[in-house]
Amino acid sequence: MGMQSDAIQRYIRATGASHSEVQGEMVAYAHQHEFPIIGPDAGAVLRLLARMTDAGTVFEFGSGYGYSASWFLAGGADEIVLTEIDEAELDMARSFLARAGHGDRVQYELGDALDVVGEYDGPFDLVLIDHDKPRYTDGFEEVREKVPEGGVIVADNMIRGPIDVEALSAFFADEEPLPEDASEETAGIADYVDHVRADPAFESFILPVGSGICLSTRVAPRE
Ligand SMILES: C[S@@+](CC[C@H](N)C(=O)[O-])C[C@H]1O[C@@H](n2cnc3c(N)ncnc32)[C@H](O)[C@@H]1O
């Protein structure tokens, strides 16, 4: 079983999306500094979504230094709004994305993504939620009316990251309460998944790619 899953992983990686030169540098930085980027497999899904929705504007909650944005841009998104509370990371994003030739399609917003989103009317064809796990649901609520029918909200870290996946499994599959000492990250992800699944305007599911991404497609017109 171990051997087989190793083989599958190697097979998938060897045939997966490859990095541009600048993306390769971004990955090297992530390895050196243990920075949690979404990685090439989830990145390829962002690129695919940008192509399939013929994306106009994309909005990101928590952009880091621009790795996830580089995939939306590679998929042809017209414009992307990056938000980041860490100024040094946002400066790195500016430099990486300019060198990748994407500079004129990017808005760089320093500050809390939940404040910045209020300054934009949208529409956003695609959204990535990848900031503070306990505030994912707030991010979804702030942005849901800015996403048109057919648009997709993606949220990272559903199955890996600073979360207890055993507790999430027991919560959803066995209807057990979360343990009292569950971290606020685990509670945040449980709340997010519960919340989007209950929203009748969206169809949601978790794709077990990378750290696990929840895809929520808007299937009803905006109010
Ligand atoms: C997992 S990293 C983002 C990785 C990025 N999406 C990628 O895949 O390349 C999360 C980032 O969110 C930022 N962050 C945390 N809380 C935030 C907030 N309230 N508003 C904006 N950014 C935030 C952190 O500084 C960190 O850089």
Side-chain angles (χ1 to χ4, degrees):
M1 180 63 191
M3 275 285 283
Q4 195 192 18
S5 70
D6 269 8
I8 292 171
Q9 262 183 12
R10 280 163 42 80
Y11 170 29
I12 297 213
R13 189 77 301 281
T15 56
S18 42
H19 286 121
S20 68
E21 196 178 323
V22 173
Q23 285 178 322
E25 291 174 28
M26 290 170 144
V27 171
Y29 182 91
H31 288 157
Q32 270 162 21
H33 299 268
E34 292 184 18
F35 188 88
I37 55 173
I38 51 161
D41 297 333
V45 175
L46 303 185
R47 183 179 66 176
L48 173 74
L49 288 171
R51 288 269 176 238
M52 289 184 77
T53 60
D54 195 13
T57 305
V58 179
F59 189 92
E60 282 195 334
F61 290 76
S63 296
Y65 53 84
Y67 177 82
S68 46
S70 74
W71 285 103
F72 285 122
L73 289 160
D78 291 338
E79 196 189 3
I80 183 162
V81 182
L82 269 63
T83 66
E84 183 48 64
I85 44 169
D86 183 320
E87 190 165 11
E89 283 174 31
L90 200 64
D91 283 344
M92 283 175 63
R94 248 188 219 102
S95 142
F96 277 130
L97 296 176
R99 281 181 44 232
H102 298 315
D104 55 343
R105 291 194 277 154
V106 188
Q107 299 283 331
Y108 299 94
E109 297 281 4
L110 178 63
D112 189 328
L114 288 161
D115 295 335
V116 175
V117 71
E119 294 162 17
Y120 283 81
D121 294 333
F124 303 124
D125 297 314
L126 297 173
V127 175
L128 176 65
I129 301 183
D130 192 17
H131 64 313
D132 202 11
K133 314 306 156 206
R135 294 165 82 204
Y136 272 26
T137 304
D138 294 343
F140 180 87
E141 276 306 304
E142 286 297 324
V143 85
R144 70 183 286 293
E145 276 309 308
K146 297 178 181 177
V147 175
E149 210 172 339
V152 184
I153 300 177
V154 181
D156 194 29
N157 295 110
M158 297 297 128
I159 63 171
R160 288 193 193 90
I163 52 158
D164 177 352
V165 80
E166 298 289 335
L168 290 172
S169 174
F171 181 76
F172 286 107
D174 307 325
E175 295 181 17
E176 282 178 19
L178 286 179
E180 266 173 33
D181 60 353
S183 68
E184 55 176 359
E185 285 81 9
T186 300
I189 297 298
D191 184 70
Y192 182 82
V193 174
D194 238 0
H195 188 82
V196 299
R197 288 180 69 238
D199 190 328
F202 287 82
E203 285 173 352
S204 297
F205 76 106
I206 295 171
L207 195 59
V209 166
S211 299
I213 45 183
C214 183
L215 269 55
S216 302
T217 313
R218 179 138 201 146
V219 294
R222 289 183 280 168
E223 280 147 26

